[in-house]
Amino acid sequence: MDHLTHRPRRLRRDGVRSLVSEVDLSASDLIAPVFVDATTDDRQPIPSMPGHERVPVDEAVARVEEVRETGVEAVIVFGIPQEKDPRGTRAWAADGVVQRAVRAITDETDAYVITDVCMCEYTDHGHCGVVEENAADDPTLTVKNDETLDRLSETAVSHAEAGADMVAPSSMTDGMVGAIREGLDGAGYPDVPIMSYAAKYESAFYGPFRDAADGAPAFGDRRHYQMDPANAREAMREVELDVEQGADVLMVKPALPYLDVVSAVRREFDHPVAAYNVSGEYAMLHAAAEKGWLDLEAVAHESLLSIKRAGADLILTYFAEDVAEQL
């Protein structure tokens, strides 16, 4: 085989292999989710998400300090309110769980604080907005789109008032980015960026998160507003609409089953791209590792590396702290 001119293995030898590596991870690529629970005075482990907890409001700062110690610079805050109602009014309350936590976190840490803007944790029916009349009894009925926009805008403004550095609307409501941008600008927060959940699929990988955030629908599902997992071209239309409305960062959720979409968004748009390595992706690796079938540290790193390779600039992941400590 002396005639072989091209031998790719030449660049896989120790020493040169790392020099020609095309993608690497750093702690600054990662965003760590933090769950703050107004209903508890103690940290509550999340059984389906090993290593994660809901923390009371007065421990939000300590929780974020733990994240920062690993080198991760950014967190995204999710809240579990003291009480819920059909319209999710605690989502935009000045003394709401996220608002209180964000004030404390921004006052006492140097973390970059992002907030999730949605209503599913705050409504007693668990849907991502104001539902149509009789929706509980009729599976063809769904969330009222335009009425929900006002509530999302009000929520985002309340988060900015509390000190959030960035807001992240996740409800897949048509027009949500434009409504929030208008609300923020009108309230005097033109410099608060929006990270839009631009292509969010109706995925089976969200199960553990719904345990963590207490946001599972009480009836029906979310197929009328979250995307069909079969559709990739539709994702490009969704993302383009959010760009037109002023989105600053474009997110794809979930990540690993949708790397083709992450890659397509990266090719078509010059905005920063985020991907959410969701709770089901996290839980299934933990479950396999507990069986002894996988090396958890290795597969976690490889999973995040593949998301970065596909084109994500930012990765929201429950592995943030563990992987950052390895880097």
Side-chain angles (χ1 to χ4, degrees):
M1 301 299 289
D2 294 339
H3 64 281
L4 281 179
T5 301
H6 301 290
R7 293 179 180 267
R9 288 180 59 184
R10 293 174 186 142
L11 298 182
R12 294 177 191 152
R13 298 171 66 87
D14 293 343
V16 71
R17 182 184 178 96
S18 61
L19 292 177
V20 299
S21 182
E22 299 173 17
V23 177
D24 58 11
L25 281 170
S26 71
S28 62
D29 298 329
L30 308 177
I31 299 170
V34 171
F35 297 97
V36 184
D37 188 346
T39 70
T40 184
D41 295 323
D42 302 299
R43 295 194 180 203
Q44 301 293 328
I46 302 167
S48 56
M49 295 171 60
H52 284 271
E53 304 169 310
R54 294 180 180 185
V55 301
V57 176
D58 61 7
E59 288 202 39
V61 169
R63 178 72 190 96
V64 172
E65 287 175 339
E66 293 166 6
V67 172
R68 288 292 292 117
E69 287 172 3
T70 68
V72 175
E73 300 171 6
V75 297
I76 182 167
V77 179
F78 297 91
I80 297 90
Q82 183 74 41
E83 56 194 26
K84 305 186 180 197
D85 61 56
R87 299 180 65 80
T89 57
R90 296 302 297 171
W92 59 85
D95 61 348
V97 58
V98 166
Q99 291 82 352
R100 291 164 57 203
V102 167
R103 286 191 193 95
I105 294 165
T106 55
D107 283 348
E108 300 184 41
T109 80
D110 62 352
Y112 189 84
V113 179
I114 306 165
T115 56
D116 179 74
V117 178
C118 196
M119 298 175 66
C120 57
E121 299 102 321
Y122 301 90
T123 56
D124 57 9
H125 47 71
H127 281 282
C128 301
V130 181
V131 294
E132 296 180 23
E133 210 171 325
N134 301 319
D137 303 315
D138 186 344
T140 67
L141 296 177
T142 184
V143 167
K144 294 181 179 180
N145 192 91
D146 293 5
E147 189 172 339
T148 296
L149 292 177
D150 293 337
R151 305 288 80 78
L152 294 173
S153 177
E154 197 169 356
T155 300
V157 169
S158 75
H159 291 178
E161 289 173 342
D165 297 299
M166 176 184 283
V167 295
S170 61
S171 66
M172 288 300 286
T173 311
D174 291 347
M176 64 183 185
V177 172
I180 289 171
R181 184 73 274 157
E182 182 178 356
L184 290 170
D185 292 353
Y189 299 101
D191 295 327
V192 172
I194 298 172
M195 176 167 65
S196 173
Y197 288 64
K200 180 178 178 180
Y201 287 86
E202 194 220 358
S203 172
F205 284 91
Y206 300 150
F209 173 89
R210 291 174 180 172
D211 292 339
D214 193 22
F219 54 83
D221 54 36
R222 293 172 176 158
R223 71 185 186 280
H224 292 148
Y225 44 99
Q226 294 180 357
M227 287 181 56
D228 183 345
N231 294 357
R233 296 191 300 273
E234 181 188 6
M236 296 302 101
R237 296 196 297 273
E238 283 279 9
V239 172
E240 185 173 9
L241 288 170
D242 283 4
V243 168
E244 291 172 355
Q245 292 170 35
D248 300 285
V249 181
L250 308 170
M251 189 199 300
V252 177
K253 180 182 180 183
L256 290 175
Y258 298 89
L259 293 183
D260 59 324
V261 179
V262 174
S263 184
V265 173
R266 172 72 289 145
R267 288 194 305 270
E268 295 297 323
F269 300 93
D270 60 3
H271 288 53
V273 176
Y276 201 140
N277 179 224
V278 300
S279 59
E281 299 170 53
Y282 175 85
M284 67 183 183
L285 294 187
H286 264 276
E290 287 172 7
K291 290 283 190 179
W293 296 340
L294 292 174
D295 178 330
L296 183 62
E297 182 176 307
V299 293
H301 183 273
E302 185 177 340
S303 295
L304 301 192
L305 192 66
S306 73
I307 297 167
K308 183 84 179 286
R309 189 186 65 241
D313 302 291
L314 308 171
I315 304 172
L316 293 80
T317 178
Y318 303 99
F319 286 118
E321 294 163 89
D322 292 338
V323 169
E325 289 181 324
Q326 302 168 24
L327 298 175

